[in-house]
Amino acid sequence: MRSATLLPLLCLAWCANRPLALAAESIPKPVVEFFNQHCTDCHDGSTKKGGVNLELDQLDWTAPAHSRLLERVHHAIETGDMPPKKKARPPAQERDQVLHWIDEGLLRKTPPQRTVFRRMSRVEYLNTIQRQFLGSFQLPVGFPEDTRFHGFDNVAEALKVSPSLLEAYAESAALIADRIFRLPRTAPTRRQAIPIKEFSVREIDLGGATTLLKGESMRFALRDTRSGPASFQAPVSATYRLRLKAAAVHPKPGESLHLKVLSGGTHQLVAVTSTSPEELVTEIPIQEGKRIEFEFVEARRPHLVRGNFGKAKSELREQLEGNPRLLAAWLSFHEERTDKDGKTVMRIRDEARPLGPQTDDVIQNQFFVKGIREALSGPPPANSEKPKPETLDRLLDWMAKDPSFYVSAWNAHAFEAEAAIDLFALEIEGPLERFESPEDQAAKRYQQALLGTPPGQPGEPQWLSHSVERILQKAFRRAALDAERTAYEGIALAHLAEGRTPQEALNLVLRAALVSPHFLYREAQAGSRLSLPHLASRLSYFLTLGPPDPPLQKAAEDGSLEQSEALRAQALRLLSSPAFASAFAKHFSDQWLGTRILPQIVPAPHLGTFDGRHAQALSKEIEMLCAEILTENRPLTDFIDPEFTFTNFIVGTQIYGLSLPVPEKGENDRTMVRVSLPRGGRRGGLLGMAGTMMATANGVDTQPVIRGKWLLENILGDPPPPPPPSVPAITPDTRGAKTIRDLMAAHTKEESCAGCHRKLDPPGFLLENFDAIGNWRDHYPIHTTGEGGKRITKPGAPVNASATLADGTELRDVSDLKRYLVAHIDQFSACLAEKLFLCGAGRLPDYAERKALRTASQRVLAEGGGFRDLLLAVIDLEAFRR
C-alpha cells in the first residue's frame, strides 16, 4: 500500500523529465570540416577516445546525450585542452565560429533542465520531523543513508527510493504517530509471582558482587547496590501492589532494617523487623515500561570495585578503626618493609600468596576470603595489639594502590558478617489505580502544538475537519487542497465507523500523511516553474536544512514571494539566525569540500598523536571559517587567503606550529578560538587548513592526483573526466625510497595517462608540503625499524612542490598557488556559485545556467560583494525557481 502511493509520483517524474521530441538537424558544413580536420583522428566512430564520437552528420539538441557531448566539446576547445598541444592549433576564426555555433545551440535550442521530484534527504527528513512534530525524535537504528552525488547528499537524481527506505519511513511514521496520538493502553489486573532467581545478580568476582544469591533467598548487604527482576515491566502506568517475604540478618537489637523499592523517580520503604521470613505488603506507582529495583537502606559497608576503592579510603579507615578484629585480620596478611628509598611501606607477606609472587587476582581473592573468615573466628585482639595510626595509613595506601586483591574479600565479609536483608519471595499485583504517565502528558503537549484547540467535541465533524487540516498543513508544509482534506477525513471517518476512538483515527491520519509523497518529497510538482509553496520549501531546505517557518509560509501564501526583493528578504532573514547560518555553513562545507569523511580516517601512527577530537576540531575549523565569511559577508578571497583562522590549542600548536597562549587551569585546550594570521603565508584559508589536506589524503601519505582532482573540482571549477577503468591506482612508497614525483613519472609514461595528468598533477604537487594530516614538511620522511622494533624516522629527499599549471603559469608552492587564486578569484567564484546551485536546486546546472551563474558571480565581484552576496545572487536566478 505504501509503495502504491509512490508509483503515480514516480511515473509523473519520469514523464515530466522526458525531452520534447524535436527533429534532428544537420550540422553546418564548416563545423563538420573543423571536426574532421582537428578532432576525428581520435574521436571518430571507431576510436571514440574518452568516449567522444564527433563523426556526426546530424544531432538533436533536445537529446541529453547530444547536449552533454557538445558541452564537453565547447569546454575542451575554449580552454585549449583540445586539440592536444602536439597537434596543429586551429585558426582563431574557425575556432571562434565553432564555439559560437555550439554556444547558440546550447542556449537557444536545448530545453531548460528541471529538477526531478526531490525527496527529503536523511538530515532534512529528521529536521522536518523535529521542527513540525517532535523536537526530541531520533531516527530508528538502521535508517538508510543517502547516496552522494558530486559530494552532496541532497541531489534529486541520487535520492532514490528503496524498499528498505520505505520500511524505515513506515516505522518512523508509526513511532511519531504513537507518541503524539497515543493509542489506548489496556492490561488486566493479575498477580504475578517473580522467582528470586530472576533478580539481576553478579557472582563474587574481582569487580565485587552487587547482591548474593544464597540458596532460596537473595541477600542485600552492600550500599549503593540495587537488584530487581528483569522479567517484570509495567504494562501501563498505574499503582502496583508488592507482596514480599523477607528476613533481617544481623540487625542491631530493637532496630528494624529497611528495603527501598524504587521505580523511576519514586520509592517506598518496607520495614523488615523479623529475623525469620515474614510477609510484607506495599504499593508503589510504576510508569508504563518501567521496572522495579530493591536497595538495602541501612547497609554499612560500601560496595567496592577497583575504580572506587581509593575514593572510599576515608570510609574504610572509619570502618576498620571501629572493628579491631577485622583490622587485625587484614593486617595478618601484610607486613611493613623499607623500600629502596628508605621509606616504610606496607606489602603483602610472601607467605600470604598461595602461589608466590605470581599469584593471580582470582586465587589471591579466594585465599583472602578464606583467611579473613578464619581470622575472625579466633579470639579478638588485645588492646596492646592495636596498630599504630601510621600502620593503618600504610595499609590503606597499599590497598588503594592495588585493590585487585581486596575487593572480593571485602565484599564477601559484608555478606557474611554485616547487617543484611534476605528476600525470599516477591509477588506483584496490578495494575490497580491508573494514572497519567509522562508519555501521556507529553502527547497532550504535542497535540496542542499540532492541533491547537479544535472546535466541538472529539469525533464531531468540525473537530475532525480542523484536526485533519492542521495535520496536513504541518506535513505538506502548505495549505491542503480540498480533495486532500476529503481523502484524509475519509480515512478518519472509516476508522471511527469501525468503533475506534478519535485518538486512533488521528493516529492513522498522521501515519498516512507521513508516508505520503507530499510529505516525503519537498519539490513534488510538475511544470516548468516552482509554485510559491515549493519555492519556499526549496529556499528553506537550502538555508536551514528544514521546512519553511511561518513567515516564509505566509510570504508564499500571500503571493509576495513571487517578487525577487521578497525572496531576497526572506533569505536574509533566515541567514540572520546564527543557528541557521552555522548549520548551513557546516552542511555546505562538509559536502562541497569533502570533509565529512574526516571522522572515518585513521591516520598512520608515524604522523603523530591523533584522535577523534583532532578530526572534530579540523572539521569545526572549516565550518567556522565558512560561517564567518558568510555572516560577515566577507570577500571571496578570504576563502583562499584570509588574515585569520579558527583552531584550538592542541591543533594550533601540534599541527600548525602556532604560538598560542597556554590555557589557564580550568580552561579547555580544545576550545575553538579566532587566531590572526599574516596574509600570503602558507597557513590560513582552505588550502592551508589541516582538514582539507587530511580529507584529500589516505591517512598514510599524500597522492598529488587526489589533491589535484579536488582542487580542479572544488576550487578551480574545471573537473577532469573520470579515469579509464583499466588505469591502476598509485601505491605510495612508505619507505621513502622514491619521491612522489618519481612514482608519478613512472605512472604517466603511457600517453593514455599523461593527457589527464598534465592537468591533474600540477595543482596537487603544489600542496606536497602538507602531509596526510596537514603537518608541514620540507623533506619526505624515511621510516625504518630499529632495535626492539622501535620506529625511526629520518628526513629523506626534499619536497619539490613546484609545478606549471595548464595555462603555463609556473608556481613554487602553496603560497604561490594562493596568490594565483586570489588573482583569478573569478574562476573560484564561478566554481563556488555552481556548488551553491547544486546544493540549493538539487541538480547540476546546464550550459545556459552555468553561464548565468558565471555572469552573476562576476557581477558580485565587480560590485565588491562577499560570500552572502554570491549566495543571494544564486537564489535570485530564474534557474533557482525552476
Side-chain angles (χ1 to χ4, degrees):
M1 179 176 178
R2 293 188 298 274
S3 299
T5 62
L6 290 173
L7 287 177
L9 176 71
L10 301 178
C11 292
L12 281 172
W14 177 76
C15 295
N17 288 277
R18 293 182 63 193
L20 299 175
L22 300 178
E25 64 177 54
S26 299
I27 300 177
K29 186 177 179 181
V31 176
V32 173
E33 291 176 352
F34 182 93
F35 287 166
N36 289 339
Q37 184 175 355
H38 300 288
C39 307
T40 53
D41 282 353
C42 299
H43 302 292
D44 59 0
S46 58
T47 308
K48 291 193 293 188
K49 191 173 181 180
V52 175
N53 174 20
L54 293 179
E55 199 172 38
L56 301 171
D57 294 324
Q58 292 185 324
L59 61 86
D60 181 358
W61 291 100
T62 67
H66 283 189
S67 62
R68 285 196 295 267
L69 170 65
L70 289 174
E71 284 186 52
R72 289 183 62 186
V73 172
H74 187 282
H75 179 75
I77 296 174
E78 185 180 45
T79 58
D81 288 347
M82 292 292 165
K85 297 289 189 288
K86 65 180 182 179
K87 301 285 187 180
R89 312 309 292 171
Q93 184 178 0
E94 293 181 16
R95 173 182 175 274
D96 292 344
Q97 284 179 342
V98 172
L99 288 175
H100 178 74
W101 173 76
I102 296 175
D103 181 73
E104 285 290 304
L106 291 173
L107 288 176
R108 301 184 185 280
K109 299 178 182 180
T110 302
Q113 281 198 32
R114 299 177 187 170
T115 304
V116 297
F117 283 5
R118 187 180 182 190
R119 72 165 172 83
M120 290 185 283
S121 69
R122 192 177 191 270
V123 66
E124 292 166 349
Y125 175 85
L126 176 59
N127 286 343
T128 301
I129 296 297
Q130 291 179 342
R131 295 184 198 174
Q132 300 290 83
F133 299 102
L134 290 172
S136 60
F137 182 76
Q138 295 299 322
L139 296 177
V141 175
F143 196 98
E145 296 285 347
D146 294 315
T147 302
R148 298 180 195 174
F149 184 76
H150 288 264
F152 289 86
D153 63 7
N154 63 347
V155 178
E157 183 180 336
L159 292 171
K160 310 296 184 183
V161 178
S162 64
S164 61
L165 183 59
L166 287 173
E167 290 299 326
Y169 283 149
E171 180 185 356
S172 296
L175 292 171
I176 295 161
D178 288 349
R179 285 182 61 183
I180 298 176
F181 299 107
R182 283 174 58 80
L183 301 179
R185 266 64 172 174
T186 59
T189 299
R190 67 191 186 105
R191 296 172 69 159
Q192 178 182 358
I194 307 294
I196 293 300
K197 291 184 179 181
E198 290 187 4
F199 275 60
S200 57
V201 62
R202 285 189 303 169
E203 297 298 333
I204 291 181
D205 58 17
L206 296 184
T210 54
T211 52
L212 183 66
L213 190 62
K214 291 181 66 66
E216 298 180 355
S217 69
M218 181 70 67
R219 177 162 292 185
F220 294 82
L222 297 168
R223 196 165 65 247
D224 303 322
T225 64
R226 296 177 182 178
S227 181
S231 60
F232 174 77
Q233 191 174 11
V236 297
S237 296
T239 300
Y240 291 80
R241 183 174 296 120
L242 276 59
R243 292 182 171 86
L244 304 86
K245 181 180 288 187
V249 179
H250 304 312
K252 290 184 178 180
E255 292 187 4
S256 300
L257 301 180
H258 295 83
L259 269 182
K260 182 188 289 186
V261 188
L262 306 100
S263 181
T266 63
H267 69 269
Q268 295 289 344
L269 289 181
V270 180
V272 182
T273 59
S274 173
T275 55
S276 300
E278 61 176 327
E279 292 193 0
L280 305 163
V281 179
T282 190
E283 293 184 357
I284 184 172
I286 307 176
Q287 296 175 14
E288 176 187 328
K290 299 297 183 181
R291 305 180 186 278
I292 58 172
E293 291 183 306
F294 295 87
E295 183 178 86
F296 177 33
V297 176
E298 287 83 11
R300 293 189 286 273
R301 190 174 296 272
H303 169 229
L304 291 187
V305 294
R306 300 185 199 191
N308 77 347
F309 209 104
K311 295 178 182 178
K313 190 173 176 181
S314 61
E315 190 167 358
L316 298 180
R317 174 191 300 279
E318 182 180 341
Q319 294 207 15
L320 289 174
E321 286 179 337
N323 193 333
R325 178 178 291 189
L326 180 61
L327 175 56
W330 277 107
L331 287 173
S332 66
F333 293 96
H334 300 78
E335 64 181 0
E336 292 180 318
R337 299 177 183 173
T338 302
D339 64 11
K340 61 182 180 179
D341 297 325
K343 182 180 178 181
T344 303
V345 295
M346 185 72 70
R347 291 292 184 270
I348 299 176
R349 297 177 185 273
D350 290 339
E351 57 269 27
R353 297 179 183 269
L355 300 179
Q358 302 304 317
T359 300
D360 66 29
D361 292 357
V362 174
I363 294 176
Q364 188 69 64
N365 267 270
Q366 294 172 347
F367 185 75
F368 274 8
V369 170
K370 180 181 178 182
I372 290 177
R373 185 180 297 117
E374 293 174 351
L376 290 173
S377 65
N383 289 336
S384 59
E385 299 176 10
K386 186 176 180 180
K388 298 177 181 179
E390 55 268 27
T391 299
L392 178 54
D393 288 340
R394 292 172 187 138
L395 174 64
L396 292 172
D397 288 341
W398 170 247
M399 292 170 69
K401 182 179 179 181
D402 188 11
S404 302
F405 291 142
Y406 305 99
V407 172
S408 294
W410 178 272
N411 292 343
H413 176 71
F415 286 117
E416 292 294 332
E418 298 285 341
I421 290 180
D422 284 341
L423 182 63
F424 292 87
L426 171 65
E427 182 183 86
I428 302 176
E429 180 183 0
L432 302 177
E433 184 177 352
R434 297 284 299 271
F435 63 86
E436 196 174 63
S437 67
E439 291 77 13
D440 294 325
Q441 296 168 0
K444 287 184 176 181
R445 295 193 299 272
Y446 297 142
Q447 288 180 39
Q448 175 64 32
L450 178 59
L451 304 180
T453 306
Q457 296 299 314
E460 293 181 349
Q462 279 185 305
W463 180 91
L464 188 63
S465 178
H466 171 93
S467 299
V468 169
E469 184 172 6
R470 288 290 293 261
I471 290 173
L472 297 185
Q473 193 277 332
K474 281 283 191 178
F476 298 169
R477 285 89 69 190
R478 58 170 172 79
L481 303 176
D482 290 341
E484 292 168 340
R485 284 196 300 271
T486 300
Y488 281 88
E489 285 179 22
I491 292 174
L493 289 170
H495 219 46
L496 290 171
E498 294 175 359
R500 304 300 181 95
T501 66
Q503 284 278 107
E504 291 174 297
L506 292 188
N507 181 295
L508 188 59
V509 167
L510 181 55
R511 287 193 192 204
L514 293 180
V515 295
S516 163
H518 296 292
F519 172 73
L520 299 175
Y521 284 75
R522 59 187 183 87
E523 293 169 18
Q525 171 203 348
S528 60
R529 216 165 190 257
L530 288 173
S531 68
L532 294 185
H534 285 99
L535 177 60
S537 273
R538 176 172 287 188
L539 179 68
S540 182
Y541 281 103
F542 179 31
L543 299 182
T544 77
L545 308 180
D549 61 2
L552 183 54
Q553 280 191 323
K554 184 177 184 300
E557 292 168 359
D558 64 21
S560 62
L561 200 62
E562 182 71 35
Q563 306 302 317
S564 292
E565 295 80 5
L567 183 64
R568 179 186 179 91
Q570 289 293 335
L572 283 170
R573 182 183 62 81
L574 294 175
L575 289 174
S576 67
S577 162
F580 286 159
S582 177
F584 170 80
K586 176 173 176 54
H587 178 74
F588 178 70
S589 65
D590 277 355
Q591 301 189 85
W592 162 36
L593 302 169
T595 50
R596 183 181 286 188
I597 198 175
L598 289 178
Q600 304 170 29
I601 300 175
V602 181
H606 69 261
L607 294 171
T609 302
F610 197 96
D611 58 32
R613 292 174 296 180
H614 285 79
Q616 185 181 21
L618 300 191
S619 181
K620 191 70 176 176
E621 289 176 357
I622 298 170
E623 171 197 335
M624 295 178 73
L625 174 72
C626 292
E628 175 89 348
I629 299 174
L630 174 64
T631 55
E632 299 295 325
N633 197 26
R634 297 178 70 91
L636 298 176
T637 52
D638 275 3
F639 279 108
I640 308 301
D641 191 24
E643 81 280 11
F644 68 96
T645 191
F646 294 93
T647 189
N648 62 29
F649 180 80
I650 296 295
V651 172
T653 55
Q654 287 184 0
I655 295 181
Y656 298 146
L658 299 174
S659 179
L660 300 177
V662 177
E664 296 182 4
K665 188 175 182 180
E667 293 182 339
N668 192 336
D669 58 7
R670 297 185 183 272
T671 300
M672 304 298 292
V673 294
R674 197 178 195 275
V675 180
S676 296
L677 293 175
R679 292 189 189 271
R682 61 197 189 194
R683 290 298 184 184
L686 300 178
L687 305 187
M689 303 183 84
T692 50
M693 295 303 101
M694 183 172 168
T696 54
N698 59 11
V700 179
D701 208 339
T702 57
Q703 293 181 339
V705 66
I706 296 177
R707 285 180 175 167
K709 180 175 183 289
W710 177 84
L711 274 163
L712 289 170
E713 288 183 343
N714 300 300
I715 305 298
L716 295 167
D718 189 13
S726 60
V727 175
I730 303 170
T731 304
D733 182 5
T734 56
R735 298 168 302 167
K738 294 181 179 180
T739 68
I740 191 64
R741 285 183 183 268
D742 296 333
L743 295 170
M744 295 299 298
H747 178 77
T748 56
K749 282 182 179 179
E750 294 291 333
E751 180 58 31
S752 60
C753 298
C756 287
H757 281 279
R758 274 193 291 268
K759 186 176 183 179
L760 274 170
D761 298 349
F765 278 128
L766 291 165
L767 301 177
E768 264 300 281
N769 284 115
F770 297 113
D771 71 9
I773 62 171
N775 290 310
W776 184 267
R777 60 187 179 185
D778 292 309
H779 293 80
Y780 290 104
I782 297 177
H783 304 292
T784 57
T785 303
E787 294 183 5
K790 184 179 180 181
R791 191 181 190 92
I792 301 173
T793 302
K794 297 180 179 179
V799 173
N800 178 5
S802 64
T804 302
L805 299 182
D807 65 1
T809 303
E810 296 182 359
L811 304 175
R812 293 171 301 174
D813 56 17
V814 65
S815 298
D816 275 2
L817 176 60
K818 290 166 71 172
R819 282 188 285 273
Y820 173 89
L821 288 171
V822 169
H824 296 78
I825 198 63
D826 57 325
Q827 195 171 352
F828 170 75
S829 175
C831 174
L832 180 54
E834 286 192 26
K835 296 296 181 181
L836 290 168
F837 181 85
L838 174 62
C839 182
R843 62 174 171 80
L844 290 170
D846 61 23
Y847 179 82
E849 290 163 345
R850 274 198 294 275
K851 289 197 74 170
L853 288 164
R854 191 156 50 244
T855 300
S857 67
Q858 289 170 348
R859 185 176 66 251
V860 169
L861 291 175
E863 295 172 354
F867 182 31
R868 188 177 63 211
D869 293 322
L870 181 66
L871 176 58
L872 294 172
V874 171
I875 291 170
D876 199 40
L877 290 177
E878 176 61 26
F880 189 81
R881 296 174 175 264
R882 189 176 299 126

